Amino acid sequence: MLWRKYFLLFLSFSIGLSIHAQDTHHWGNQFGTRAALLGGAVLTDTIDNAGVFYNPGNLGYMDTTSLSINANLYGLENVNIENALGQRADFKGIQFNTVPLLISGSIQTKSDWNVSYGLLTPVSFNFNGVARIEGEYNLAPEDISPGKEDLVSESGISTKLQETTVALGIGKKLNPNLGFGISLLNTLRTVNYSYRFSAKALTNSEDYFLISRTQNEFINYFALRTALKLGLNYQKSTYGFGATVTTPGLDWLGNGTVAEDLTLSNLIVPGLDKPLTAFASDRQEKLKTTYKSPFEIAFGAHKAFNRSVISLNVTHFGGFDRYRIIQAESGTLVRPDNIENAIDSEDFLNVETSMKPVTNFSIGYENQLKESITLLSSFRTDFSYFDKESLKSRQLATEITQWDIFHVSLGAEVKKSRSSLTLGLIYSFGSTQDYLQRGSFNNVEADQLLEGALVVTKAGYSNLGLLVGYAFNFKKFN
């Protein structure tokens, strides 16, 4: 059937409309009372027990039972995607966020091994945006509807991504200058994503009729994975070197839900003798999920100059070719379901992603202003692992951000006899001139059937946050 051919093509493009935040970054958050303000350049640190995450080799140098709390990162976050639907109809999301970063501690044992634990949030991203456009476009031939039709279109995205990691590490000194450690990182990833789109217009004729397309998409899943991190920390009086290797995540539990609803009403399609009206709808729950995290290798160093210390962290993250997080089951997608060669859900309702390799670096600086006050600052990169090849897929996707992010921090640590308080500001920013966006009505042709076009546009991100950290040392190890 000819209408089936056109509907199949339209369905293929429509499901590919999902925009591909922070949801494509490895270094979204940093942790630890000192480590966060040093931008994670702490692979040779011997003070902050955030080493359970950064470098378990640091744990061999811990000499107190302690508890550290980064209560929250308070931030005002702004995401702007220009011309999401064309003609300055932007996706904008401005919100106040509160992210719990880290609770960690170290425990005294009777052996040579020091034990540390941590509960942290390595990834946290929220976005809610709406774009609306009203304008005149050619959506029907002149003999059906003279002149341009008055189009009203609106699109909205809501997404929430969070990863929570429970870390358990052990470390010891192999000799007075070399520490070795291993951490077990157990991570829960949760994603809630919804996308809606509507475009409608009335024909310019006495017996006018409605031309429209509406689409609603929903993806929700969780995935549990485990990875091992091995680390070394070599210390001398005025300098140090550190290195870590993290295994790819072992995915061992998870499930998710996918849903799609697409309705076409009276679309004028070349080659069809009457307007096309059809709909596709399916919802599948408790589908198995598979989420992959990459191999990592990191190198770090520090150098002391009188009352100042400069530190460095360079970390490389591997990548993955496109794979399916969720594989949909066979089921009816297009209704009615008794048509010949029915279109099946397992061909379109799969959730896919991919990841390109990236290398990030951070530079930290600390200066002891007084015996009890230390100035801390840093600059770090957070390059996006977004892979443009993923836009070739006609499957579902949840990623939004395609831009690189840069972070600048400044603050101070105030030490007391058995505790320390850390206060600081973190500013993050990023943008791209090459954001690939589907659904724009700029230069749209009539035969594009209200789906919009794939365009290159601009997008940007900024965040200003207040970091608060507290650490308490209970007692010295024996």
Side-chain angles (χ1 to χ4, degrees), residues 47-86:
I47 302 173
D48 197 333
N49 53 31
V52 69
F53 176 78
Y54 290 104
N55 184 357
N58 300 359
L59 304 180
Y61 295 90
M62 303 295 292
D63 62 357
T64 60
T65 298
S66 62
L67 176 68
S68 299
I69 300 175
N70 278 109
N72 290 285
L73 175 66
Y74 303 94
L76 185 63
E77 188 173 58
N78 175 44
V79 176
N80 183 46
I81 302 172
E82 295 186 9
N83 299 319
L85 290 177

Side-chain angles (χ1 to χ4, degrees), residues 338-390:
N338 58 356
I339 64 174
E340 182 182 0
N341 298 321
I343 301 171
D344 199 286
S345 296
E346 67 177 351
D347 297 324
F348 290 96
L349 297 191
N350 307 297
V351 180
E352 291 189 342
T353 192
S354 58
M355 184 181 296
K356 70 178 182 181
V358 296
T359 300
N360 286 317
F361 72 89
S362 62
I363 299 174
Y365 173 79
E366 52 185 308
N367 182 274
Q368 189 174 0
L369 302 178
K370 297 181 179 180
E371 184 177 353
S372 61
I373 301 177
T374 303
L375 177 71
L376 305 170
S377 64
S378 69
F379 171 82
R380 64 183 170 93
T381 65
D382 194 6
F383 296 122
S384 171
Y385 57 76
F386 173 76
D387 184 0
K388 292 183 179 180
E389 291 296 312
S390 63

Side-chain angles (χ1 to χ4, degrees), residues 28 112 290 373:
D112 294 334
T290 299
I373 301 177

Side-chain angles (χ1 to χ4, degrees), residues 238-382:
T238 61
Y239 64 89
F241 299 98
T244 67
V245 173
T246 306
T247 66
L250 175 63
D251 183 84
W252 54 276
L253 181 64
N255 68 57
T257 298
V258 294
E260 181 77 30
D261 189 276
L262 173 66
T263 302
L264 313 178
S265 297
N266 297 314
L267 294 188
I268 310 301
V269 181
L272 291 184
D273 56 1
K274 62 180 180 179
L276 172 63
T277 296
F279 77 96
S281 183
D282 193 16
R283 180 184 180 91
Q284 298 189 10
E285 301 179 345
K286 297 182 179 179
L287 299 173
K288 185 182 183 304
T289 64
T290 299
Y291 185 81
K292 300 178 180 181
S293 61
F295 169 84
E296 301 173 29
I297 184 168
F299 298 95
H302 80 265
K303 174 63 177 175
F305 302 90
N306 196 9
R307 302 175 67 89
S308 300
V309 178
I310 296 177
S311 52
L312 175 69
N313 178 355
V314 179
T315 302
H316 176 76
F317 299 86
F320 293 107
D321 293 333
R322 190 163 66 234
Y323 72 96
R324 291 184 174 176
I325 300 174
I326 298 178
Q327 171 68 56
E329 298 175 346
S330 178
T332 301
L333 182 58
V334 176
R335 312 301 171 116
D337 59 2
N338 58 356
I339 64 174
E340 182 182 0
N341 298 321
I343 301 171
D344 199 286
S345 296
E346 67 177 351
D347 297 324
F348 290 96
L349 297 191
N350 307 297
V351 180
E352 291 189 342
T353 192
S354 58
M355 184 181 296
K356 70 178 182 181
V358 296
T359 300
N360 286 317
F361 72 89
S362 62
I363 299 174
Y365 173 79
E366 52 185 308
N367 182 274
Q368 189 174 0
L369 302 178
K370 297 181 179 180
E371 184 177 353
S372 61
I373 301 177
T374 303
L375 177 71
L376 305 170
S377 64
S378 69
F379 171 82
R380 64 183 170 93
T381 65
D382 194 6

